[in-house]
Amino acid sequence: KLTPFEEAFQDLVKDMYSAEKQVLKALPKAAKAATSTDLRSAIERHIAQTEDHVMRIEKLAKSGGFQPTGKVCAAAKGIIEEMSEALQENEPSPVLDAIIVCGAQKFEHYEIANYGTAVAWAELLGQPESVTLLQETLGEEEDTNDKLSKLAFTKINKAAMGGRVKVGAK
C-alpha cells in the first residue's frame, strides 16, 4: 500500500503527464501562427523535446508500477485555452508572436515548478532513476524558458512595438 506522500507523488506525475500530452496537441497551432521564423523553430524544437518528456514520464511510471494516465491537468487546460483564444482573436503578426511567447512562458514556468517539486519528492522517496529522468526534463524546460526570454528581449518584443522602443526602455 502506498503512503500518502507516494500517492501525492504519483498524482503529480499524472498531472505532469496530462500537461505534456495537452501541450503536444496545442504547440503545432502556435507554431503555425508564429510569424517569426526563430519563434516557429523554437516551438518546433520544443515539440520534439516534449515527445521525449512524455516518454520519460511513461518510463518513470512503469518503473514505479503505475499508469501515468487518469488525470486531467486543469492548469494546462486553462493556459492552453488562453492561448487558443489569443490565436483566434489575433491575426498572425509580431504582436501575436509576443503573445505566443507569453503563453509559452506561462506553460514553461508551470512545468518548471512541477518538475522541480517532482525531483525533490523523488529524492525523498529514494528513487534515483526517477530523479535522473525528471532532472533531465527540468533542465530542458528551463533551457526552453531561457531561449524564449532571449528571443523576446532581442527580437519579438521590439518587433511587436513596430521597432520603436520607448525612451528609457532596454
Side-chain angles (χ1 to χ4, degrees), residues 103-128:
Q105 286 196 288
K106 286 178 185 180
F107 210 91
E108 292 308 313
H109 287 226
Y110 178 74
E111 289 180 311
I112 289 166
N114 279 325
Y115 281 104
T117 297
V119 167
W121 288 8
E123 286 173 349
L124 288 170
L125 290 166
Q127 298 179 9

PDB file of all heavy atoms in Angstrom, residues 103-128:
ATOM      1  N   GLY A 103       2.417  33.192 -23.550  1.00  0.00           N
ATOM      2  CA  GLY A 103       1.691  31.969 -23.230  1.00  0.00           C
ATOM      3  C   GLY A 103       2.613  30.778 -23.053  1.00  0.00           C
ATOM      4  O   GLY A 103       2.445  29.967 -22.133  1.00  0.00           O
ATOM      5  N   ALA A 104       3.620  30.679 -23.921  1.00  0.00           N
ATOM      6  CA  ALA A 104       4.579  29.572 -23.823  1.00  0.00           C
ATOM      7  C   ALA A 104       5.353  29.660 -22.514  1.00  0.00           C
ATOM      8  O   ALA A 104       5.591  28.638 -21.852  1.00  0.00           O
ATOM      9  CB  ALA A 104       5.526  29.588 -25.023  1.00  0.00           C
ATOM     10  N   GLN A 105       5.714  30.877 -22.108  1.00  0.00           N
ATOM     11  CA  GLN A 105       6.460  31.015 -20.863  1.00  0.00           C
ATOM     12  C   GLN A 105       5.581  30.739 -19.644  1.00  0.00           C
ATOM     13  O   GLN A 105       6.069  30.198 -18.649  1.00  0.00           O
ATOM     14  CB  GLN A 105       7.121  32.386 -20.775  1.00  0.00           C
ATOM     15  CG  GLN A 105       8.316  32.448 -21.707  1.00  0.00           C
ATOM     16  CD  GLN A 105       9.235  33.594 -21.414  1.00  0.00           C
ATOM     17  OE1 GLN A 105       8.890  34.742 -21.689  1.00  0.00           O
ATOM     18  NE2 GLN A 105      10.397  33.293 -20.877  1.00  0.00           N
ATOM     19  N   LYS A 106       4.304  31.066 -19.720  1.00  0.00           N
ATOM     20  CA  LYS A 106       3.399  30.686 -18.628  1.00  0.00           C
ATOM     21  C   LYS A 106       3.441  29.174 -18.448  1.00  0.00           C
ATOM     22  O   LYS A 106       3.505  28.656 -17.330  1.00  0.00           O
ATOM     23  CB  LYS A 106       1.959  31.116 -18.919  1.00  0.00           C
ATOM     24  CG  LYS A 106       1.701  32.589 -18.778  1.00  0.00           C
ATOM     25  CD  LYS A 106       0.259  32.900 -19.135  1.00  0.00           C
ATOM     26  CE  LYS A 106      -0.008  34.392 -19.129  1.00  0.00           C
ATOM     27  NZ  LYS A 106      -1.406  34.704 -19.462  1.00  0.00           N
ATOM     28  N   PHE A 107       3.403  28.460 -19.560  1.00  0.00           N
ATOM     29  CA  PHE A 107       3.421  27.000 -19.520  1.00  0.00           C
ATOM     30  C   PHE A 107       4.759  26.496 -19.004  1.00  0.00           C
ATOM     31  O   PHE A 107       4.810  25.590 -18.165  1.00  0.00           O
ATOM     32  CB  PHE A 107       3.122  26.426 -20.913  1.00  0.00           C
ATOM     33  CG  PHE A 107       2.439  25.106 -20.846  1.00  0.00           C
ATOM     34  CD1 PHE A 107       1.063  25.029 -20.827  1.00  0.00           C
ATOM     35  CD2 PHE A 107       3.160  23.930 -20.769  1.00  0.00           C
ATOM     36  CE1 PHE A 107       0.410  23.805 -20.743  1.00  0.00           C
ATOM     37  CE2 PHE A 107       2.530  22.697 -20.692  1.00  0.00           C
ATOM     38  CZ  PHE A 107       1.146  22.643 -20.674  1.00  0.00           C
ATOM     39  N   GLU A 108       5.855  27.085 -19.490  1.00  0.00           N
ATOM     40  CA  GLU A 108       7.184  26.660 -19.032  1.00  0.00           C
ATOM     41  C   GLU A 108       7.340  26.866 -17.533  1.00  0.00           C
ATOM     42  O   GLU A 108       7.866  25.996 -16.837  1.00  0.00           O
ATOM     43  CB  GLU A 108       8.293  27.409 -19.787  1.00  0.00           C
ATOM     44  CG  GLU A 108       8.407  27.055 -21.247  1.00  0.00           C
ATOM     45  CD  GLU A 108       8.518  25.567 -21.519  1.00  0.00           C
ATOM     46  OE1 GLU A 108       9.317  24.882 -20.856  1.00  0.00           O
ATOM     47  OE2 GLU A 108       7.795  25.086 -22.412  1.00  0.00           O
ATOM     48  N   HIS A 109       6.902  27.998 -17.026  1.00  0.00           N
ATOM     49  CA  HIS A 109       7.025  28.264 -15.588  1.00  0.00           C
ATOM     50  C   HIS A 109       6.218  27.253 -14.777  1.00  0.00           C
ATOM     51  O   HIS A 109       6.672  26.782 -13.727  1.00  0.00           O
ATOM     52  CB  HIS A 109       6.590  29.696 -15.267  1.00  0.00           C
ATOM     53  CG  HIS A 109       7.577  30.717 -15.720  1.00  0.00           C
ATOM     54  ND1 HIS A 109       7.983  31.763 -14.930  1.00  0.00           N
ATOM     55  CD2 HIS A 109       8.263  30.846 -16.887  1.00  0.00           C
ATOM     56  CE1 HIS A 109       8.872  32.496 -15.585  1.00  0.00           C
ATOM     57  NE2 HIS A 109       9.045  31.954 -16.782  1.00  0.00           N
ATOM     58  N   TYR A 110       5.041  26.908 -15.256  1.00  0.00           N
ATOM     59  CA  TYR A 110       4.220  25.891 -14.602  1.00  0.00           C
ATOM     60  C   TYR A 110       4.956  24.555 -14.588  1.00  0.00           C
ATOM     61  O   TYR A 110       5.026  23.874 -13.561  1.00  0.00           O
ATOM     62  CB  TYR A 110       2.863  25.776 -15.319  1.00  0.00           C
ATOM     63  CG  TYR A 110       1.984  24.710 -14.729  1.00  0.00           C
ATOM     64  CD1 TYR A 110       1.353  24.913 -13.507  1.00  0.00           C
ATOM     65  CD2 TYR A 110       1.811  23.484 -15.373  1.00  0.00           C
ATOM     66  CE1 TYR A 110       0.561  23.919 -12.940  1.00  0.00           C
ATOM     67  CE2 TYR A 110       1.023  22.492 -14.820  1.00  0.00           C
ATOM     68  CZ  TYR A 110       0.402  22.724 -13.602  1.00  0.00           C
ATOM     69  OH  TYR A 110      -0.370  21.737 -13.036  1.00  0.00           O
ATOM     70  N   GLU A 111       5.520  24.188 -15.726  1.00  0.00           N
ATOM     71  CA  GLU A 111       6.235  22.919 -15.809  1.00  0.00           C
ATOM     72  C   GLU A 111       7.492  22.919 -14.946  1.00  0.00           C
ATOM     73  O   GLU A 111       7.814  21.919 -14.290  1.00  0.00           O
ATOM     74  CB  GLU A 111       6.592  22.602 -17.264  1.00  0.00           C
ATOM     75  CG  GLU A 111       5.395  22.242 -18.104  1.00  0.00           C
ATOM     76  CD  GLU A 111       5.760  21.928 -19.532  1.00  0.00           C
ATOM     77  OE1 GLU A 111       6.502  22.708 -20.162  1.00  0.00           O
ATOM     78  OE2 GLU A 111       5.317  20.879 -20.014  1.00  0.00           O
ATOM     79  N   ILE A 112       8.215  24.022 -14.931  1.00  0.00           N
ATOM     80  CA  ILE A 112       9.425  24.126 -14.104  1.00  0.00           C
ATOM     81  C   ILE A 112       9.063  23.930 -12.627  1.00  0.00           C
ATOM     82  O   ILE A 112       9.759  23.212 -11.899  1.00  0.00           O
ATOM     83  CB  ILE A 112      10.139  25.475 -14.346  1.00  0.00           C
ATOM     84  CG1 ILE A 112      10.782  25.482 -15.745  1.00  0.00           C
ATOM     85  CG2 ILE A 112      11.181  25.752 -13.261  1.00  0.00           C
ATOM     86  CD1 ILE A 112      11.214  26.856 -16.239  1.00  0.00           C
ATOM     87  N   ALA A 113       7.977  24.535 -12.196  1.00  0.00           N
ATOM     88  CA  ALA A 113       7.534  24.363 -10.799  1.00  0.00           C
ATOM     89  C   ALA A 113       7.222  22.892 -10.509  1.00  0.00           C
ATOM     90  O   ALA A 113       7.638  22.346  -9.482  1.00  0.00           O
ATOM     91  CB  ALA A 113       6.315  25.237 -10.518  1.00  0.00           C
ATOM     92  N   ASN A 114       6.495  22.252 -11.414  1.00  0.00           N
ATOM     93  CA  ASN A 114       6.129  20.848 -11.215  1.00  0.00           C
ATOM     94  C   ASN A 114       7.337  19.920 -11.249  1.00  0.00           C
ATOM     95  O   ASN A 114       7.475  19.044 -10.396  1.00  0.00           O
ATOM     96  CB  ASN A 114       5.110  20.393 -12.264  1.00  0.00           C
ATOM     97  CG  ASN A 114       3.705  20.805 -11.905  1.00  0.00           C
ATOM     98  OD1 ASN A 114       3.335  20.824 -10.746  1.00  0.00           O
ATOM     99  ND2 ASN A 114       2.928  21.135 -12.915  1.00  0.00           N
ATOM    100  N   TYR A 115       8.186  20.087 -12.245  1.00  0.00           N
ATOM    101  CA  TYR A 115       9.348  19.197 -12.351  1.00  0.00           C
ATOM    102  C   TYR A 115      10.313  19.418 -11.183  1.00  0.00           C
ATOM    103  O   TYR A 115      10.901  18.459 -10.672  1.00  0.00           O
ATOM    104  CB  TYR A 115      10.053  19.340 -13.705  1.00  0.00           C
ATOM    105  CG  TYR A 115       9.342  18.592 -14.802  1.00  0.00           C
ATOM    106  CD1 TYR A 115       8.571  19.248 -15.746  1.00  0.00           C
ATOM    107  CD2 TYR A 115       9.423  17.202 -14.875  1.00  0.00           C
ATOM    108  CE1 TYR A 115       7.898  18.550 -16.746  1.00  0.00           C
ATOM    109  CE2 TYR A 115       8.750  16.490 -15.871  1.00  0.00           C
ATOM    110  CZ  TYR A 115       7.999  17.176 -16.794  1.00  0.00           C
ATOM    111  OH  TYR A 115       7.330  16.475 -17.774  1.00  0.00           O
ATOM    112  N   GLY A 116      10.472  20.660 -10.752  1.00  0.00           N
ATOM    113  CA  GLY A 116      11.329  20.929  -9.590  1.00  0.00           C
ATOM    114  C   GLY A 116      10.817  20.226  -8.344  1.00  0.00           C
ATOM    115  O   GLY A 116      11.581  19.604  -7.596  1.00  0.00           O
ATOM    116  N   THR A 117       9.520  20.304  -8.133  1.00  0.00           N
ATOM    117  CA  THR A 117       8.908  19.611  -6.995  1.00  0.00           C
ATOM    118  C   THR A 117       9.046  18.108  -7.134  1.00  0.00           C
ATOM    119  O   THR A 117       9.410  17.412  -6.179  1.00  0.00           O
ATOM    120  CB  THR A 117       7.420  19.998  -6.875  1.00  0.00           C
ATOM    121  OG1 THR A 117       7.332  21.407  -6.612  1.00  0.00           O
ATOM    122  CG2 THR A 117       6.721  19.225  -5.765  1.00  0.00           C
ATOM    123  N   ALA A 118       8.793  17.589  -8.331  1.00  0.00           N
ATOM    124  CA  ALA A 118       8.871  16.143  -8.553  1.00  0.00           C
ATOM    125  C   ALA A 118      10.285  15.619  -8.312  1.00  0.00           C
ATOM    126  O   ALA A 118      10.459  14.532  -7.751  1.00  0.00           O
ATOM    127  CB  ALA A 118       8.395  15.798  -9.967  1.00  0.00           C
ATOM    128  N   VAL A 119      11.305  16.383  -8.711  1.00  0.00           N
ATOM    129  CA  VAL A 119      12.691  15.980  -8.447  1.00  0.00           C
ATOM    130  C   VAL A 119      12.917  15.871  -6.936  1.00  0.00           C
ATOM    131  O   VAL A 119      13.449  14.870  -6.442  1.00  0.00           O
ATOM    132  CB  VAL A 119      13.701  16.980  -9.075  1.00  0.00           C
ATOM    133  CG1 VAL A 119      15.110  16.757  -8.533  1.00  0.00           C
ATOM    134  CG2 VAL A 119      13.696  16.878 -10.592  1.00  0.00           C
ATOM    135  N   ALA A 120      12.500  16.892  -6.201  1.00  0.00           N
ATOM    136  CA  ALA A 120      12.689  16.892  -4.742  1.00  0.00           C
ATOM    137  C   ALA A 120      11.957  15.725  -4.089  1.00  0.00           C
ATOM    138  O   ALA A 120      12.506  15.050  -3.204  1.00  0.00           O
ATOM    139  CB  ALA A 120      12.211  18.225  -4.156  1.00  0.00           C
ATOM    140  N   TRP A 121      10.726  15.468  -4.539  1.00  0.00           N
ATOM    141  CA  TRP A 121       9.951  14.375  -3.950  1.00  0.00           C
ATOM    142  C   TRP A 121      10.557  13.014  -4.302  1.00  0.00           C
ATOM    143  O   TRP A 121      10.609  12.118  -3.460  1.00  0.00           O
ATOM    144  CB  TRP A 121       8.501  14.455  -4.399  1.00  0.00           C
ATOM    145  CG  TRP A 121       7.737  15.594  -3.780  1.00  0.00           C
ATOM    146  CD1 TRP A 121       8.231  16.609  -3.009  1.00  0.00           C
ATOM    147  CD2 TRP A 121       6.344  15.846  -3.915  1.00  0.00           C
ATOM    148  NE1 TRP A 121       7.221  17.475  -2.657  1.00  0.00           N
ATOM    149  CE2 TRP A 121       6.047  17.026  -3.203  1.00  0.00           C
ATOM    150  CE3 TRP A 121       5.311  15.208  -4.589  1.00  0.00           C
ATOM    151  CZ2 TRP A 121       4.769  17.556  -3.123  1.00  0.00           C
ATOM    152  CZ3 TRP A 121       4.032  15.747  -4.518  1.00  0.00           C
ATOM    153  CH2 TRP A 121       3.754  16.894  -3.785  1.00  0.00           C
ATOM    154  N   ALA A 122      11.024  12.845  -5.536  1.00  0.00           N
ATOM    155  CA  ALA A 122      11.644  11.579  -5.939  1.00  0.00           C
ATOM    156  C   ALA A 122      12.915  11.332  -5.124  1.00  0.00           C
ATOM    157  O   ALA A 122      13.206  10.190  -4.749  1.00  0.00           O
ATOM    158  CB  ALA A 122      11.948  11.583  -7.434  1.00  0.00           C
ATOM    159  N   GLU A 123      13.655  12.405  -4.844  1.00  0.00           N
ATOM    160  CA  GLU A 123      14.843  12.265  -3.992  1.00  0.00           C
ATOM    161  C   GLU A 123      14.448  11.763  -2.608  1.00  0.00           C
ATOM    162  O   GLU A 123      15.052  10.822  -2.081  1.00  0.00           O
ATOM    163  CB  GLU A 123      15.596  13.595  -3.880  1.00  0.00           C
ATOM    164  CG  GLU A 123      16.356  13.970  -5.129  1.00  0.00           C
ATOM    165  CD  GLU A 123      16.965  15.366  -5.088  1.00  0.00           C
ATOM    166  OE1 GLU A 123      16.650  16.170  -4.179  1.00  0.00           O
ATOM    167  OE2 GLU A 123      17.763  15.665  -6.004  1.00  0.00           O
ATOM    168  N   LEU A 124      13.416  12.368  -2.021  1.00  0.00           N
ATOM    169  CA  LEU A 124      12.955  11.964  -0.684  1.00  0.00           C
ATOM    170  C   LEU A 124      12.439  10.524  -0.669  1.00  0.00           C
ATOM    171  O   LEU A 124      12.585   9.819   0.334  1.00  0.00           O
ATOM    172  CB  LEU A 124      11.847  12.905  -0.197  1.00  0.00           C
ATOM    173  CG  LEU A 124      12.297  14.307   0.202  1.00  0.00           C
ATOM    174  CD1 LEU A 124      11.085  15.198   0.437  1.00  0.00           C
ATOM    175  CD2 LEU A 124      13.177  14.257   1.439  1.00  0.00           C
ATOM    176  N   LEU A 125      11.852  10.111  -1.779  1.00  0.00           N
ATOM    177  CA  LEU A 125      11.311   8.749  -1.876  1.00  0.00           C
ATOM    178  C   LEU A 125      12.379   7.716  -2.227  1.00  0.00           C
ATOM    179  O   LEU A 125      12.081   6.522  -2.315  1.00  0.00           O
ATOM    180  CB  LEU A 125      10.172   8.710  -2.913  1.00  0.00           C
ATOM    181  CG  LEU A 125       8.895   9.432  -2.494  1.00  0.00           C
ATOM    182  CD1 LEU A 125       7.976   9.623  -3.698  1.00  0.00           C
ATOM    183  CD2 LEU A 125       8.186   8.690  -1.377  1.00  0.00           C
ATOM    184  N   GLY A 126      13.620   8.177  -2.431  1.00  0.00           N
ATOM    185  CA  GLY A 126      14.693   7.250  -2.750  1.00  0.00           C
ATOM    186  C   GLY A 126      14.550   6.612  -4.112  1.00  0.00           C
ATOM    187  O   GLY A 126      14.749   5.408  -4.264  1.00  0.00           O
ATOM    188  N   GLN A 127      14.194   7.432  -5.108  1.00  0.00           N
ATOM    189  CA  GLN A 127      14.011   6.938  -6.476  1.00  0.00           C
ATOM    190  C   GLN A 127      15.028   7.603  -7.415  1.00  0.00           C
ATOM    191  O   GLN A 127      14.683   8.507  -8.177  1.00  0.00           O
ATOM    192  CB  GLN A 127      12.581   7.220  -6.950  1.00  0.00           C
ATOM    193  CG  GLN A 127      11.514   6.534  -6.132  1.00  0.00           C
ATOM    194  CD  GLN A 127      10.106   6.856  -6.633  1.00  0.00           C
ATOM    195  OE1 GLN A 127       9.913   7.443  -7.673  1.00  0.00           O
ATOM    196  NE2 GLN A 127       9.118   6.441  -5.856  1.00  0.00           N
ATOM    197  N   PRO A 128      16.288   7.157  -7.380  1.00  0.00           N
ATOM    198  CA  PRO A 128      17.326   7.826  -8.177  1.00  0.00           C
ATOM    199  C   PRO A 128      17.073   7.826  -9.678  1.00  0.00           C
ATOM    200  O   PRO A 128      17.396   8.803 -10.359  1.00  0.00           O
ATOM    201  CB  PRO A 128      18.614   7.073  -7.829  1.00  0.00           C
ATOM    202  CG  PRO A 128      18.177   5.792  -7.195  1.00  0.00           C
ATOM    203  CD  PRO A 128      16.816   6.039  -6.602  1.00  0.00           C
TER     204      PRO A 128
END
